[in-house]
Amino acid sequence: MKSNAKAVVIGGGVVGCSVLYHLAKAGWTDIMLIERSELTSGSSWHAAGGFHTLNGDPNVAKLQAYTVQLYREIEELSGQSCSLHLTGGVMMADTPERMDFLRLAHAKGRYLGMDTELITPSEAKAMFPLMDETNFVGAMWDPVEGHLDPSGTTHAYAKAARKLGAEIVLRNRVVELTQEVDGTWNVVTEQGTVKAEHVVNCGGLWAREIGRMVGVELPLLAMEHMYLLTEPMPEVEEFNKSTGREMIGVMDFKGEIYTRQERNGILLGTYEKACKPWSPVNTPWDFGHELLQPDIDRIAPSLEIGFKHFPGIEKAGIKQIINGPFTFALDGNPLVGPVQGLTNFWCACAVMAGFSQGGGVGLALSNWMVNGDPGFDVWGMDVARFGEWATLRYTNAKVRENYSRRFSIRFPNEELPAARPAQTTPLYDTMLAKNAVMGDSWGLETPLWFAPKGTEDIVSFHRSNDFGPIGEEVRATREKVGVTEIANFAKYEVSGPAAEDFLNRLMTNRMPKTGRIVLTPMLNEFGRLIGDFTIAKADEERFMIWSSSAAQKYHMRWFEKHLPKDDSVRIHRFDQTLVGLSIAGPKSRDLLQKLVDVDISTKAFRFMDFREMAVGGAPCMVNRITYTGDLGYEIWMAPAYQRLVYKAINDAGEEFGLVDFGMRALLSMRLEKNFPTWFRELRPIYGPFEGTMDRFVKLEKNDFIGREAAAREQAEGPKLRRVSFIVDAADADVMGDEPIWAKVGGKDYGTVEKPHGYGAPRFDTAGKEVRGSRAAEGASAVRGIVDGDWRVVGWVTSGGYAHYIRKSMAQGYVPAALAGDESAGLFEIEILGSRRPARINVEPPFDPSGEKMRT
């Protein structure tokens, strides 16, 4: 074993071997993988080996598609077979709600280039005759599903990496990680110490323990997962013989089970409600190629439904029950990327679906390490997406909830209860007393809407029981005055003699004068949007900054990366040590004036002014700005003063008709102003001119990060543009990720993703190809993105109902050539399987001149 390496990958499962391969492929050959036992000694060896491309996050789905495409490449390079079985698969819906879910998934697939198809239960039965189709109302077919050999695939990655120059060291446990002053890591192992520039935690079941070596508690937990293998089944053998095909994979939401063919029998796995964590506090280092004791009673409820839905399996003998641990993060997606607060310490762990995601994770992480950027929008997998509130016990509760809901529908208005409340403001009990329906905003309880007494959220894909009350909150705010909590914003203070130079280097806009505010994007080196900030200059060497709460660790990681080494800039993240309230509406100035002892008239306290003042007797910071786009103010204070300020606002607001409004009303009002949101409209896959942030980008001000790429985007013209639509919706509004259709004839604007390159045809029991399927490879076009003169040209990022203008609205991205066309009949947006007429609205429908917020 050599004593120095550019990068050391810890862990020899499928993810570690994928990361090693991709680093080698990118040109880093001075790299090594260290494994405590043998390759695949953790979760990889006992995995069911299934793969698919569907994911709730379209950006993760793209990386899953890449993973599937990659297998033939590593087979050819390594000479090692992955035993790839591309059978295709179906998701079965037993209720109208689950069918709506499939319609949403199918619609997402249109602009991703996925060749999914909504089919009948009878068509599904033709490909999997063991089912009783009368239990279902519909299904979705995906040709890019199948299974492989987990061990062979892992070894294919490893052999390919070795051929490219990487080193693999087995039977050598890492026992300690320390870092020198110069940033070099000491990877202390049983066989000696390796000095490395980079360390990658691909520890799988032991990733949590490796994180603890550097003082990090990663939010992941191993869960016991069971699947069974049947004895050979005559029905399976007959199907194979008569069709020359394997049976497809099947996912049954109701039964919480998945099935596929395994040799001449069936593999059936469950995600049971009565789930069980494995080693919830510490993972034993001596655990290896062992399995856990099966507990068939725990999965009996799922099996009961499964045998009813698939009676052909019930009579089969059970050959073996596999019970092994797999790691999960809180939301089921991986933890990938650099860890904030550490130098060159990377994560690629909690990759539960390793054979669907492992290749994409390896590609993204290697890009990140080698080029400084993952090359994709990987926010759904970024390790920075969770905060300090994701403690060991919180993680335990949330992972159990996620596992038990693996095959459950997550409705767009659904709030999950596990581990809540975690963080609360001083107004939490007051909000509950007012019957606020609370939501989880980066671990913080935040009012979503105020329900009539005795009412709770009814979850649905359609407009629900919150529709009326939210409309009342919006109208009362627009016509009088409303108050809402805004503690769920991120808050920072940047100070020091070089603070302004530092911010000018990071931000695209000029920094404000003392007492003023600016709005500004932040770009990476490639000119892509990685932040959207409100910045106030409090005094000569002190700036207050506000942005998205979910991006706090993401942004701190970036800030720390670019901090001067001489301590001339200091950054403080407030989190919940600074909380806030916002008042908005035409009466908001009159209300605030009663609470302060200074002049806040239009001339004395202008739009985009910042001032420190006492509000209701409490020391506060006040911004003359609100996300409603109306006249309004943001009031910030220490938590100790929040109850005092809120009471003062309520007491003084009674004469003005004050109402409480929640986050859903706020988001409705921002739609009416065409305001974008971070991580929906503004993401690292878009440039600032694509995101229509033109007026906040001052290319002439100084050489800020990403300036050259932004200047090039402006000169060449953006390929896409963010637009706002008025939608002729029925009883459901957009939720995000819906395809946007345009009537453009044969013109191809080139915005739709390319096909996967893999596809499995479907055959009925007589061996005849089922309608609509495509050739196994090399399709030149994708069904579902072209319909006569209509073509999918873009995608929805967010939307909902704009209650004050009483219109359904959506935001999304379309080709720049179409972005200014307000013609009727040009666009349609697909909502729950129905294409609804939509029309671009260039000017915001509420107060297009901005007069109200400037008054």
Side-chain angles (χ1 to χ4, degrees), residues 418-459:
R420 294 177 55 195
Q423 298 180 87
T424 60
T425 71
L427 292 179
Y428 177 67
D429 293 335
T430 302
M431 295 294 104
L432 291 183
K434 291 191 170 187
N435 214 32
V437 176
M438 306 298 285
D440 178 355
S441 178
W442 211 61
L444 177 70
E445 296 296 314
T446 300
L448 298 177
W449 63 289
F450 291 83
K453 201 151 191 165
T455 304
E456 296 180 353
D457 242 351
I458 296 176
V459 296

Side-chain angles (χ1 to χ4, degrees), residues 446-506:
T446 300
L448 298 177
W449 63 289
F450 291 83
K453 201 151 191 165
T455 304
E456 296 180 353
D457 242 351
I458 296 176
V459 296
S460 175
F461 289 119
H462 301 260
R463 293 174 188 161
S464 189
N465 63 327
D466 64 350
F467 187 81
I470 291 172
E472 293 173 8
E473 293 172 22
V474 169
R475 286 185 287 275
T477 299
R478 287 280 194 231
E479 294 168 4
K480 297 177 183 177
V481 60
V483 59
T484 190
E485 265 204 286
I486 50 173
N488 61 328
F489 285 27
K491 292 87 59 176
Y492 313 89
E493 181 184 77
V494 176
S495 61
E500 186 157 352
D501 289 341
F502 172 73
L503 291 173
N504 265 319
R505 172 69 177 145
L506 263 61

Side-chain angles (χ1 to χ4, degrees), residues 610-689:
F610 164 89
R611 189 177 299 177
E612 297 181 78
M613 64 179 78
V615 178
C620 296
M621 294 178 287
V622 182
N623 295 334
R624 185 134 172 230
I625 189 174
T626 78
Y627 198 40
T628 66
D630 215 320
L631 172 66
Y633 306 84
E634 294 175 350
I635 308 168
W636 302 95
M637 72 289 295
Y641 295 108
Q642 191 185 31
R643 291 174 68 91
L644 172 64
V645 176
Y646 181 72
K647 184 178 186 303
I649 289 172
N650 273 267
D651 290 346
E654 189 172 352
E655 69 173 277
F656 301 111
L658 178 73
V659 298
D660 288 283
F661 67 94
M663 189 55 56
R664 291 179 184 170
L666 180 64
L667 293 176
S668 172
M669 287 185 274
R670 70 97 185 175
L671 287 174
E672 298 171 336
K673 289 294 294 180
N674 292 358
F675 288 165
T677 58
W678 179 242
F679 287 131
R680 295 303 302 180
E681 283 73 45
L682 309 179
R683 296 187 71 132
I685 53 175
Y686 306 122
F689 297 101

Side-chain angles (χ1 to χ4, degrees), residues 29-81:
T29 54
D30 183 19
I31 56 177
M32 63 192 306
L33 181 149
I34 300 177
E35 162 57 40
R36 69 177 195 41
S37 182
E38 307 292 338
L39 297 183
T40 76
S41 291
S43 297
S44 296
W45 76 272
H46 60 74
F51 61 81
H52 56 89
T53 56
L54 286 168
N55 188 282
D57 184 327
N59 299 290
V60 176
K62 292 179 186 179
L63 291 177
Q64 291 182 188
Y66 165 80
T67 299
V68 177
Q69 291 175 327
L70 179 66
Y71 288 134
R72 293 189 180 177
E73 175 184 314
I74 61 172
E75 281 183 329
E76 291 175 4
L77 179 59
S78 67
Q80 168 73 50
S81 172

Side-chain angles (χ1 to χ4, degrees), residues 295-331:
D295 183 1
I296 198 165
D297 289 340
R298 205 169 75 237
I299 64 174
S302 292
L303 294 180
E304 183 178 349
I305 297 172
F307 292 154
K308 177 185 175 185
H309 288 184
F310 307 98
I313 302 177
E314 184 176 15
K315 301 172 186 177
I318 297 176
K319 180 170 67 176
Q320 186 181 10
I321 299 178
I322 306 294
N323 186 19
F326 290 88
T327 55
F328 295 76
L330 312 185
D331 57 4

